[in-house]
Amino acid sequence: MKWSQLDMDFIGHFGIPTALCTEDLNLVQANDLFQELFCLTVGNSIASMFNDLEVKKMRRKLSRNQAYKLVVVAQNQRQTPYEFTFKTLDENIAILATDATEIKKSEDMLASYSKMIERQNRAIKRDKEKLEVLIGNILPSTTISELRSNGQVKPKKFTNVGIMMLDLVGFTTLSAQNDAEVLFSELNELFTCFDILAENHKCERIKTIGDAYLAVTNVNIENSKPNESLASLATDIIHIIESRSGKIDWKCRIGLHKGDLVAGVVGKTKILFDVFGDGINTAARMEAASVPMKINCSENFFQTIDFIEHFTPRGLQQIKGKGPAKMYFLENSFHNLDSQRIAEIVQQARTMKSIVESTI
Amino acid sequence: MSLFDKLGGFAAVSKVVGEFYDELEQNPVTAPYFVGMNMEKLIDHQVKFLSQALGGPQQYSGKAMNAAHQKLTITEEAFNEVARTLNEVLEDNGIDPADIGAIMDLAGSLKDEVVSA
């Protein structure tokens, strides 16, 4: 079947470009509007003119007596988008083109808004991930999970855990003698070295208070050799302080103890995971009773270790508020950190970005 | 990168879903199920559902699969026809065969919840 010229002109009169092509996609009829808009004349091949034409898909749809649709941009000044509808008409294929400006506008707008929202979603996701990292460095993962599911964290009691308390000797004097920036920078570097060592030995730094450093074992990080780890951490710290070069001549006192503590989250706005209890107090007493660059251990700590050859008994020493107690020095030779490893750790601490720098 | 992002996000998913329902409405096996239905709402739901299932934003708040399909008494033949159509539309849109496989696996996993006749 073919349309009469009158039919074609009639449809064209309403601004509808219309054409008819053979199964081989050669144009056999087209109204003036169609020819003008798409620069096609009878005898031209539709397939060679429309690059986006999916011939296989079109044939499949037409064979099912379905319409095949395609958006084609007209060759006019406005480059108007037209939606072509291909439909079988007896032995030929009828093509009806309708102005798709509004549809295209809506689709473009949808795509644009979708992209905008997706970009925002990705930014929110990135920020959320940064926040998770930041929170993960403030609170232990078990505490975060508990906070998420219960909205609160119940304090937990831990018995017979390893505790290390460290204090830098003469910090007040050093503060008065040195430039604040230098002092703070060196203190920061030193504590970062301790953090690296603590992580290496599966120990956990709980907090620093001024020039004091508190680490524990088996509170949030499981450790099958807690005594050995804590002793290694303490001796490595001594080696680091002895070996590193800096403007300030640092010295420390270390106390090791095994005892009980209670751990929990304190504060509502400035949240802190903290530990309290007799174990902490005793570890602090051990540190206070130590001497510069020595590791002083409590009887409780000594009784649970299996490397007694590295200890020197100190006999009974006075503990403030507790009376006399047996104490032992852990020899600094217990764990040796070679000079290359020390240099690596110091370098790592110097180049490491703070968690705040890398997340904000 | 989620499959949602890989496909081209919300705009690409809505294009696929639009073509998918266009096909289903013209298919004699599936068309009867859509008589009297608010297709715009259905397409909107499906875009959200598929976007979410492909790892996009969590925004689907419609009914659960079985609750949404139970009253329609969908036959296995109709379900298979829907799956075949989805596969075809994804291919037509130039989606990677491995990704089509993942989407078809997802669709297949819903069969027991959808078929009730």
Side-chain angles (χ1 to χ4, degrees):
Chain A
M1 177 186 158
K2 271 194 172 185
W3 282 318
S4 71
Q5 194 55 46
L6 186 67
D7 290 339
M8 301 291 278
D9 291 343
F10 180 75
I11 297 169
H13 182 71
F14 288 96
I16 301 171
T18 314
L20 204 64
C21 70
T22 61
E23 278 191 345
D24 298 335
L25 305 176
N26 288 319
L27 212 61
V28 285
Q29 250 186 303
N31 62 13
D32 291 343
L33 189 60
F34 189 96
Q35 296 189 47
E36 186 192 316
L37 283 173
F38 305 108
C39 297
L40 280 168
T41 51
V42 170
N44 284 157
S45 163
I46 296 273
S48 62
M49 293 303 291
F50 302 141
N51 294 334
D52 292 338
L53 189 78
E54 306 139 295
V55 179
K56 202 174 144 193
K57 184 180 170 187
M58 182 182 78
R59 294 204 188 287
R60 190 186 72 219
K61 295 198 85 147
L62 295 183
S63 71
R64 290 180 193 157
N65 202 26
Q66 291 176 358
Y68 169 68
K69 291 184 177 182
L70 171 74
V71 174
V72 173
V73 177
Q75 302 291 310
N76 60 357
Q77 212 177 359
R78 274 188 59 223
Q79 297 206 309
T80 315
Y82 275 87
E83 186 179 67
F84 274 36
T85 304
F86 294 78
K87 195 99 204 292
T88 306
L89 189 68
D90 295 334
E91 72 276 16
N92 288 325
I93 300 165
I95 308 165
L96 202 72
T98 47
D99 190 333
T101 308
E102 289 307 313
I103 297 171
K104 186 84 180 21
K105 214 188 279 174
S106 304
E107 279 178 359
D108 288 350
M109 211 175 276
L110 173 73
S112 164
Y113 280 118
S114 300
K115 274 192 187 135
M116 188 179 77
I117 290 166
E118 280 154 24
R119 258 199 311 275
Q120 284 174 344
N121 281 346
R122 278 196 291 273
I124 292 168
K125 202 177 161 201
R126 271 198 303 275
D127 283 350
K128 201 179 164 211
E129 280 165 2
K130 283 179 180 178
L131 201 63
E132 298 266 329
V133 172
L134 204 57
I135 294 172
N137 277 275
I138 295 169
L139 297 173
S141 57
T142 47
T143 307
I144 296 170
S145 309
E146 201 180 330
L147 262 174
R148 281 213 175 103
S149 29
N150 306 336
Q152 58 176 7
V153 181
K154 280 187 182 169
K156 280 191 194 75
K157 192 177 176 188
F158 292 85
T159 53
N160 216 22
V161 293
I163 305 159
M164 181 192 86
M165 183 66 89
L166 175 149
D167 193 69
L168 294 168
V169 179
F171 187 73
T172 314
T173 316
L174 289 171
S175 308
Q177 288 170 346
N178 291 281
D179 176 61
E181 206 172 312
V182 173
L183 186 88
F184 200 81
S185 158
E186 291 222 4
L187 185 68
N188 191 26
E189 184 184 303
L190 216 49
F191 281 175
T192 307
C193 287
F194 299 173
D195 286 346
I196 295 168
L197 290 169
E199 197 182 339
N200 289 349
H201 290 298
K202 285 190 172 179
C203 297
E204 180 187 6
R205 185 251 269 186
I206 297 295
K207 62 180 172 181
T208 63
I209 319 141
D211 61 333
Y213 187 98
L214 170 65
V216 296
T217 57
N218 281 327
V219 171
N220 291 302
I221 300 166
E222 208 173 305
N223 188 330
S224 56
K225 290 182 175 173
N227 304 325
E228 209 173 336
S229 295
L230 208 61
S232 300
L233 171 64
T235 45
D236 281 0
I237 285 176
I238 299 279
H239 296 316
I240 286 267
I241 295 177
E242 276 172 347
S243 309
R244 70 176 283 284
S245 57
K247 288 183 181 167
I248 301 170
D249 183 23
W250 296 100
K251 286 197 169 18
C252 73
R253 276 188 310 268
I254 298 179
L256 297 186
H257 175 59
K258 278 204 105 171
D260 303 342
L261 58 86
V262 176
V265 174
V266 286
K268 296 283 179 192
T269 52
K270 292 188 177 176
I271 298 169
L272 177 73
F273 179 81
D274 212 347
V275 289
F276 314 88
D278 183 61
I280 303 295
N281 294 339
T282 309
R285 298 282 183 267
M286 290 302 119
E287 172 269 307
S290 188
V291 296
M293 301 304 274
K294 295 291 276 179
I295 303 157
N296 186 38
C297 305
S298 68
E299 174 73 2
N300 267 17
F301 188 81
F302 180 75
Q303 290 300 333
T304 54
I305 48 100
D306 53 7
F307 39 93
I308 53 168
E309 67 276 17
H310 294 281
F311 287 81
T312 307
R314 298 181 68 195
L316 287 171
Q317 301 284 326
Q318 280 299 320
I319 300 185
K320 192 179 156 192
K322 285 198 172 191
K326 280 186 181 173
M327 292 183 202
Y328 305 81
F329 275 139
L330 169 66
E331 297 308 326
N332 297 348
S333 57
F334 170 71
H335 190 258
N336 281 316
L337 207 56
D338 64 55
S339 54
Q340 196 190 334
R341 184 74 191 117
I342 290 174
E344 282 169 10
I345 291 168
V346 173
Q347 186 57 26
Q348 194 185 341
R350 280 181 184 159
T351 52
M352 226 166 126
K353 274 188 173 180
S354 83
I355 191 70
V356 176
E357 272 178 284
S358 52
T359 51
I360 289 177
Chain B
M1 186 192 253
S2 69
L3 199 46
F4 172 79
D5 289 322
K6 199 177 164 195
L7 295 184
F10 193 71
V13 173
S14 20
K15 181 174 180 283
V16 167
V17 172
E19 283 182 29
F20 170 64
Y21 279 106
D22 197 29
E23 289 282 344
L24 295 182
E25 279 191 279
Q26 294 184 67
N27 186 320
V29 179
T30 53
Y33 292 101
F34 300 106
V35 174
M37 256 190 205
N38 182 339
M39 291 308 288
E40 286 75 21
K41 197 175 163 189
L42 184 61
I43 289 170
D44 179 57
H45 269 312
Q46 188 61 267
V47 169
K48 286 175 182 164
F49 175 78
L50 195 60
S51 298
Q52 186 172 309
L54 299 177
Q58 306 281 308
Q59 51 188 350
Y60 179 71
S61 56
K63 290 177 185 172
M65 265 303 125
N66 50 3
H69 294 88
Q70 210 160 24
K71 279 185 188 168
L72 297 170
T73 55
I74 292 171
T75 62
E76 189 165 351
E77 186 203 3
F79 181 87
N80 291 340
E81 196 57 19
V82 168
R84 190 197 56 74
T85 307
L86 179 62
N87 195 90
E88 201 170 84
V89 170
L90 292 168
E91 277 177 0
D92 283 347
N93 278 274
I95 312 292
D96 187 80
D99 297 338
I100 294 181
I103 296 169
M104 294 314 295
D105 285 347
L106 171 77
S109 70
L110 302 171
K111 191 171 184 174
D112 289 345
E113 292 183 65
V114 172
V115 174
S116 58

